[in-house]
Amino acid sequence: MILDNRGLEPPQPMMRTLAALETLKDGETLTIINDRRPMFLYEQLDELGYSYETAERNDGSFQITITKG
């Protein structure tokens, strides 16, 4: 699943991401695209036990791949 959060003002990207993560089953992945690096989201992901990888895209946005479990 890909969630494009570009163009949204905080805290909307984080709220949308956390809501989408609730639908994942163990081992499933969510990819989000944000205008900026989601520093506060990383703290939440660590607390909830998700793993994630971040890559900066050519347009300056960030792609974060989040895996449950």
Side-chain angles (χ1 to χ4, degrees):
M1 176 187 328
I2 297 176
L3 187 62
D4 189 345
N5 290 322
R6 291 176 288 184
L8 299 175
E9 291 297 319
Q12 284 300 319
M14 185 166 157
M15 302 307 291
R16 290 181 74 212
T17 299
L18 292 174
L21 289 173
E22 290 180 7
T23 69
L24 293 184
K25 295 183 176 99
D26 283 346
E28 290 185 329
T29 299
L30 170 67
T31 299
I32 63 170
I33 303 170
N34 284 13
D35 290 321
R36 54 189 78 71
R37 193 179 298 270
M39 302 310 294
F40 295 113
L41 177 63
Y42 294 142
E43 295 173 14
Q44 289 289 318
L45 296 175
D46 289 338
E47 287 180 20
L48 295 169
Y50 290 90
S51 60
Y52 51 89
E53 293 181 17
T54 302
E56 188 169 358
R57 296 164 47 110
N58 291 335
D59 65 0
S61 64
F62 291 87
Q63 178 173 313
I64 300 91
T65 303
I66 306 165
T67 304
K68 184 173 184 175

